[in-house]
Amino acid sequence: MSDALANTLHRVRERVTPSPDEIDELEVVIEELVERTETAVAEREIEADVLRVGSTARGTWLPGERDIDIFVRFAPRYDREILEDVGVEIGRAVLPSGRLEYAEHPYVTAEYDGYSVDLVPCFRVDSGAEIRSAVDRTPFHATYVQERLDETRATDVRVLKQFLRATGVYGSNLRTQGYSGYLTELLVLEYGGVRPVLRAAADWDPPVRLDPADHGASTFGDPLVVIDPTDPNRNVAAVVSPDNVARFQHHARQLLADPGIGRFEVHSPEPLTQAECETHLARRATTPYAVRFPTPDLVDDQLYPQLRTSVRGIADGLDRRGFDTVRSTSFAGSEAVLYFEVAVPERPAIERHRGPPVHVAEHAEAFLDQYADADVYGPFIEGDRYVVERPREYRSARAFLESEALLDTGLGKDIRRRLAEGYEVLAGEDITALLPAFGRALRTFYEPSP
Amino acid sequence: MSDALANTLHRVRERVTPSPDEIDELEVVIEELVERTETAVAEREIEADVLRVGSTARGTWLPGERDIDIFVRFAPRYDREILEDVGVEIGRAVLPSGRLEYAEHPYVTAEYDGYSVDLVPCFRVDSGAEIRSAVDRTPFHATYVQERLDETRATDVRVLKQFLRATGVYGSNLRTQGYSGYLTELLVLEYGGVRPVLRAAADWDPPVRLDPADHGASTFGDPLVVIDPTDPNRNVAAVVSPDNVARFQHHARQLLADPGIGRFEVHSPEPLTQAECETHLARRATTPYAVRFPTPDLVDDQLYPQLRTSVRGIADGLDRRGFDTVRSTSFAGSEAVLYFEVAVPERPAIERHRGPPVHVAEHAEAFLDQYADADVYGPFIEGDRYVVERPREYRSARAFLESEALLDTGLGKDIRRRLAEGYEVLAGEDITALLPAFGRALRTFYEPSP
């Protein structure tokens, strides 16, 4: 191992280790919350235990992260309705200022003493493979990690998390499609430290398959597969996109080759200015289009996948009509934008249409009948087939984007509903109207890096 | 058979049968030529016989056709040099005004009493399979057909030839890539008349294989295969393009469905006018390009294949650079033109370039090194790969056509040599400079029919 990397990791370790005061303060809050929760459970004569889970429970959180997860684990004899009703009741008792969130079932979340607290009811099941709800698995994860993670490895997890964050691939939400905290912990445990993880990732030849408990039974199509030690049929890395596997590999190699501390720092891009934007448009000589509409009222884990689906669907629609998408992306704030950079904004008035082979008499006849009096060039013969050149339906990318056909592309369902109510198409230099609101996203788009 | 078709065929038969005077006149000329040739052979004490071959010998020529072919068939003991030297000597003696043409070996051709006469030396071999030169086969064809063709079938051949001519697919030269006289004769013999040929062709499901002598041994990739009865390894229809197989099918069906006599008439298109040309350009909104240069000094059978090759090569070059050729063609007179109609005359300043998968470390490193300081967007990651957007070499079809890269496309070799000496590129409305010289070809291009 190079001295430079050792030195950098040493400095990062210091930065990511919370101070004793920070730890003490957190401990006080967690204990208080656990006690209040146990009281609420007891008052309701419910058979349930109270668990601290998540990174704050196992000492792998990053300084500044202030997420506390408390689970109320109900005995399995209760049915789901009881769990939901009583779970929420307990949550409200412990966190009177809380509000309801909905995942598979409702739970209470609140700001508490400057911490962001989730109070989540789940079922006690015998193993991770027998869960009744996704959150039932969490206590098993907590146990698995807590039993194996000593202080050195916990710090390694913090260092790796910080690196993934700086690289922009930390977080298993469906916007980021990156590495979860649990996945980071498993990687550190499996490879035995942060440096082995980096070296391994630099050499990964996907599909990569890790199976810490050596019990995996299923196969997965994902580039990175880490079988959950608490559930042989689950890939902990299922959410990680191929891009983010590649990104981690790339940045791991960069770090090993040139281990500057800057590689652990999160850089937020400056918003692109109007002048910079115009320079890029002129330099690229492509044509940008923005489909802008009010953002549908969805949680991020629904919104971002639908935005991605919609961008793909429309880009495919543009491509199939010959407008050749160079790149595309989406942004969302109070307004959402599907963004397309197109190489060919206009096509000729005619399009070729290949007909049947001449020798297939039945189809040939139908084709000739169809175009006998139509306003087309041909039919004529090319090779063994009939061909006509007929008027093209959409001569410009803009005409297509503004047409009803847009709604027939592969859109996310709530996006389709929103677009059906109306949207705006910005083209060319008019897209600078997206500044400054989407300035950061546009800088990332026009100044792409790995 | 429909009365209408019978009626039409009857009228065509009358039209294509030469008058007794025309036949007598031809006979006199042929006999005279044969006699003069026999005298020239005798004077040189060469062992050779003199043969009348071709359509005028077997009564299948069309009125107005005035081609006479006389073959001098040398005994096989002579070597090729003798055949060439003495063959030309005899030709000059018989046709003092003649000039030399070159196929596989030289022969003399001349205008004689208003006929176009070829006097061709060949070898006497035992069978069509043992030929020493392509023309050695001709006497076998003559014999085969003469032995089988009665006057009815000979008239059928004339009718079919006339139909093929009206359809634009008659002639086995490499410009037309159509049906030879011999092939027409074989089709009539094999199917037993002109009507059966038409009905069969309407139903062809290529590849079609006919083997009149039932001795074919080889397989062929051509859509129409007619094994030469005088050579089991030769496809008489090898030169017929897939387009011309399809065209014959199409027109045979049209004739059967609607047997007007007009379908036997040769229509030469009127030259396209400048105003018509401009209307087509505006209506199609495509961009035409003409690469114009002095026609290389080649016989048609070399020129036209090279023009086709060159058009394909350049169209491929345009397509690979994203300029999307809609259609292309070539014309030749004293100047030659490679003609391209393009859907996308301009592309953006940048082009995407997909690099290696990130996980292939060695290639990834080379790629990153290559583009580290280059004037590109990226490298960035898409899926599992690196991508850069780099400056595009040719932003317009015109820039490509005017560049040295044109000479690197798949050109015919003599065309490449000519283009290397210089050429002109006409674009858009400037292509009307090709009028009126190429007015007929441009009408065919812009008003295509089967």
Side-chain angles (χ1 to χ4, degrees):
Chain A
M1 177 184 158
S2 75
D3 288 341
L5 180 57
N7 188 31
T8 292
L9 291 179
H10 178 73
R11 289 170 62 197
V12 175
R13 242 176 251 123
E14 282 180 355
R15 290 192 188 178
V16 298
T17 305
S19 69
D21 283 359
E22 198 177 347
I23 297 174
D24 288 349
E25 190 193 302
L26 175 73
E27 279 303 314
V28 169
V29 175
I30 292 184
E31 269 166 36
E32 194 175 300
L33 284 165
V34 168
E35 239 167 69
R36 290 169 60 107
T37 311
E38 281 170 343
T39 304
V41 168
E43 282 170 6
R44 280 161 189 82
E45 295 185 352
I46 283 284
E47 188 192 340
D49 51 351
V50 176
L51 304 167
R52 319 162 38 162
V53 299
S55 61
T56 43
R58 43 213 204 232
T60 58
W61 87 99
L62 289 178
E65 275 187 354
R66 301 179 75 81
D67 296 319
I68 296 175
D69 298 306
I70 308 283
F71 270 47
V72 179
R73 190 164 59 170
F74 284 60
R77 64 184 159 89
Y78 295 112
D79 64 18
R80 194 170 184 115
E81 235 171 57
I82 300 265
L83 174 130
E84 293 190 4
D85 292 351
V86 181
V88 168
E89 218 179 89
I90 293 168
R92 290 203 188 282
V94 176
L95 303 164
S97 69
R99 62 193 165 76
L100 276 188
E101 287 274 357
Y102 295 84
E104 260 185 70
H105 54 68
Y107 63 95
V108 173
T109 182
E111 290 302 306
Y112 184 92
D113 260 6
Y115 293 89
S116 168
V117 182
D118 287 350
L119 207 150
V120 180
C122 73
F123 283 112
R124 191 176 75 230
V125 290
D126 284 338
S127 79
E130 291 161 65
I131 58 164
R132 292 163 65 180
S133 153
V135 290
D136 299 347
R137 208 185 270 115
T138 305
F140 292 97
H141 294 169
T143 306
Y144 181 87
V145 174
Q146 274 157 2
E147 281 172 0
R148 286 161 181 81
L149 212 63
D150 60 19
E151 204 161 316
T152 306
R153 288 289 168 265
T155 306
D156 278 343
V157 169
R158 286 185 161 120
V159 170
L160 185 57
K161 278 187 181 177
Q162 180 60 34
F163 182 65
L164 292 167
R165 206 155 79 162
T167 300
V169 300
Y170 183 63
S172 61
N173 61 73
L174 297 185
R175 179 179 184 179
T176 308
Q177 299 185 298
Y179 298 75
S180 67
Y182 179 50
L183 176 57
T184 311
E185 291 161 349
L186 291 179
L187 289 173
V188 165
L189 285 173
E190 183 65 6
Y191 287 113
V194 66
R195 283 169 286 155
V197 171
L198 292 168
R199 281 202 216 101
D203 287 338
W204 277 347
D205 183 9
V208 171
R209 186 180 172 102
L210 302 176
D211 188 357
D214 199 18
H215 67 167
S218 309
T219 57
F220 299 89
D222 308 306
L224 178 60
V225 176
V226 180
I227 305 293
D228 193 336
T230 76
D231 182 349
N233 296 311
R234 178 170 179 262
N235 174 18
V236 180
V239 82
V240 185
S241 67
D243 304 54
N244 284 339
V245 173
R247 252 177 218 123
F248 180 40
Q249 292 203 267
H250 169 86
H251 288 282
R253 284 185 202 141
Q254 298 295 106
L255 176 67
L256 293 171
D258 175 19
I261 187 119
R263 298 191 186 280
F264 285 87
E265 283 159 10
V266 175
H267 296 280
S268 181
E270 286 298 302
L272 199 67
T273 66
Q274 175 147 343
E276 287 173 325
C277 188
E278 284 164 3
T279 301
H280 280 301
L281 297 187
R283 187 181 164 210
R284 296 169 72 80
T286 49
T287 309
Y289 296 92
V291 173
R292 182 161 68 168
F293 56 102
T295 303
D297 187 22
L298 299 170
V299 298
D300 282 4
D301 271 4
Q302 296 197 330
L303 176 63
Y304 284 93
Q306 286 203 29
L307 288 173
R308 270 196 292 269
T309 299
S310 304
V311 164
R312 250 196 325 267
I314 295 174
D316 183 54
L318 287 165
D319 289 347
R320 283 193 294 115
R321 287 162 182 87
F323 299 118
D324 292 13
T325 311
V326 178
R327 271 197 281 135
S328 53
T329 188
S330 58
F331 328 129
S334 62
E335 292 189 307
V337 172
L338 308 174
Y339 195 83
F340 307 93
E341 190 189 31
V342 147
V344 180
E346 292 187 355
R347 306 276 311 177
I350 50 128
E351 67 177 359
R352 285 171 60 86
H353 174 60
R354 256 162 63 104
V358 172
H359 62 83
V360 183
E362 194 183 335
H363 296 172
E365 195 178 340
F367 186 81
L368 291 176
D369 283 353
Q370 182 182 354
Y371 288 106
D373 300 312
D375 180 28
V376 299
Y377 284 90
F380 53 95
I381 289 173
E382 266 188 26
D384 68 345
R385 283 181 182 268
Y386 288 111
V387 175
V388 293
E389 291 158 352
R390 60 190 184 190
R392 178 183 297 277
E393 190 168 9
Y394 300 106
R395 286 194 53 190
S396 72
R398 178 168 205 139
F400 168 64
L401 293 173
E402 288 179 343
S403 77
E404 296 258 307
L406 186 82
L407 300 178
D408 294 331
T409 59
L411 303 174
K413 95 174 171 315
D414 298 288
I415 306 281
R416 173 173 289 116
R417 197 175 303 139
R418 259 299 186 200
L419 290 174
E421 290 167 17
Y423 58 91
E424 183 188 11
V425 175
L426 305 172
E429 294 217 343
D430 289 349
I431 62 98
T432 53
L434 301 177
L435 301 173
F438 296 111
R440 287 203 164 77
L442 281 171
R443 182 171 309 274
T444 303
F445 185 80
Y446 281 117
E447 296 173 9
S449 63
Chain B
M1 172 186 166
S2 75
D3 288 342
L5 180 56
N7 186 32
T8 292
L9 291 180
H10 178 72
R11 289 169 63 197
V12 175
R13 241 176 254 124
E14 281 178 357
R15 288 191 191 180
V16 298
T17 305
S19 68
D21 284 357
E22 199 177 346
I23 297 174
D24 288 347
E25 190 194 303
L26 175 75
E27 280 301 315
V28 169
V29 174
I30 293 183
E31 270 167 37
E32 192 175 299
L33 283 165
V34 168
E35 235 168 75
R36 288 168 59 106
T37 310
E38 282 170 343
T39 304
V41 168
E43 282 169 5
R44 279 158 191 82
E45 295 186 351
I46 285 283
E47 189 192 338
D49 51 350
V50 176
L51 305 167
R52 316 162 40 160
V53 298
S55 61
T56 42
R58 45 211 202 232
T60 58
W61 87 99
L62 289 178
E65 273 186 353
R66 302 179 75 81
D67 297 318
I68 297 175
D69 298 306
I70 309 284
F71 271 47
V72 180
R73 189 164 58 167
F74 284 59
R77 65 186 157 88
Y78 295 111
D79 64 18
R80 193 168 185 116
E81 235 169 58
I82 300 263
L83 174 130
E84 293 190 4
D85 292 352
V86 180
V88 169
E89 221 178 87
I90 293 168
R92 289 202 188 284
V94 177
L95 303 164
S97 68
R99 59 192 167 76
L100 278 188
E101 288 273 359
Y102 295 83
E104 258 183 75
H105 54 67
Y107 64 95
V108 173
T109 182
E111 291 299 307
Y112 184 94
D113 261 9
Y115 293 89
S116 168
V117 182
D118 288 348
L119 206 152
V120 180
C122 73
F123 283 111
R124 190 177 74 233
V125 290
D126 284 340
S127 79
E130 291 160 65
I131 57 162
R132 292 162 67 181
S133 155
V135 289
D136 299 347
R137 208 183 270 117
T138 306
F140 292 98
H141 294 169
T143 306
Y144 181 88
V145 174
Q146 274 157 3
E147 282 172 359
R148 286 164 180 78
L149 212 64
D150 60 18
E151 204 161 318
T152 307
R153 289 288 167 267
T155 305
D156 278 343
V157 169
R158 286 186 161 118
V159 170
L160 184 56
K161 278 187 184 178
Q162 181 61 34
F163 182 66
L164 293 168
R165 205 155 79 162
T167 301
V169 299
Y170 182 62
S172 61
N173 62 73
L174 297 184
R175 177 179 185 178
T176 307
Q177 299 185 297
Y179 297 73
S180 67
Y182 180 49
L183 176 56
T184 311
E185 291 160 350
L186 291 179
L187 289 173
V188 167
L189 285 173
E190 184 63 7
Y191 286 112
V194 66
R195 283 169 286 154
V197 171
L198 293 168
R199 282 203 214 102
D203 287 339
W204 277 346
D205 183 8
V208 171
R209 187 181 171 102
L210 303 176
D211 188 356
D214 200 18
H215 67 167
S218 310
T219 57
F220 299 89
D222 309 304
L224 178 60
V225 176
V226 180
I227 305 293
D228 193 337
T230 77
D231 181 350
N233 297 309
R234 179 170 177 261
N235 174 17
V236 180
V239 82
V240 184
S241 68
D243 304 54
N244 283 339
V245 173
R247 253 177 218 123
F248 180 40
Q249 290 202 266
H250 169 86
H251 288 283
R253 285 186 200 140
Q254 299 294 106
L255 177 66
L256 293 170
D258 176 19
I261 188 122
R263 299 191 185 277
F264 285 87
E265 283 158 14
V266 175
H267 297 280
S268 181
E270 286 300 301
L272 200 67
T273 66
Q274 175 147 344
E276 288 172 326
C277 189
E278 284 164 3
T279 301
H280 280 302
L281 297 187
R283 186 180 164 210
R284 296 169 72 80
T286 50
T287 310
Y289 296 93
V291 173
R292 182 161 67 166
F293 56 102
T295 303
D297 186 22
L298 299 170
V299 298
D300 282 4
D301 272 4
Q302 296 197 330
L303 176 63
Y304 283 92
Q306 286 204 28
L307 288 172
R308 270 197 292 268
T309 300
S310 304
V311 164
R312 249 194 327 265
I314 295 174
D316 183 55
L318 287 164
D319 289 347
R320 284 193 293 116
R321 287 164 182 86
F323 300 118
D324 293 13
T325 311
V326 179
R327 270 196 283 138
S328 53
T329 188
S330 58
F331 327 128
S334 62
E335 292 188 308
V337 172
L338 309 174
Y339 196 84
F340 307 93
E341 189 189 32
V342 148
V344 181
E346 293 187 354
R347 305 278 308 180
I350 50 130
E351 64 176 1
R352 286 171 60 87
H353 174 59
R354 257 163 62 104
V358 172
H359 63 81
V360 184
E362 196 183 333
H363 296 174
E365 196 178 338
F367 186 81
L368 291 176
D369 284 351
Q370 182 183 353
Y371 288 104
D373 301 312
D375 180 28
V376 299
Y377 283 88
F380 54 94
I381 289 173
E382 265 188 27
D384 68 345
R385 282 183 182 266
Y386 289 112
V387 175
V388 294
E389 290 158 352
R390 60 191 184 189
R392 179 182 296 275
E393 191 169 7
Y394 300 106
R395 285 194 54 192
S396 72
R398 175 167 207 141
F400 167 65
L401 293 173
E402 287 178 342
S403 77
E404 296 258 307
L406 186 82
L407 300 177
D408 294 332
T409 58
L411 303 174
K413 97 176 171 315
D414 298 289
I415 307 282
R416 173 174 288 117
R417 198 175 302 139
R418 258 301 187 200
L419 290 174
E421 290 166 17
Y423 58 90
E424 184 188 8
V425 175
L426 304 171
E429 294 217 342
D430 289 349
I431 62 97
T432 53
L434 302 176
L435 300 174
F438 296 111
R440 287 201 165 78
L442 282 171
R443 170 144 351 245
T444 304
F445 186 80
Y446 282 115
E447 296 173 9
S449 63

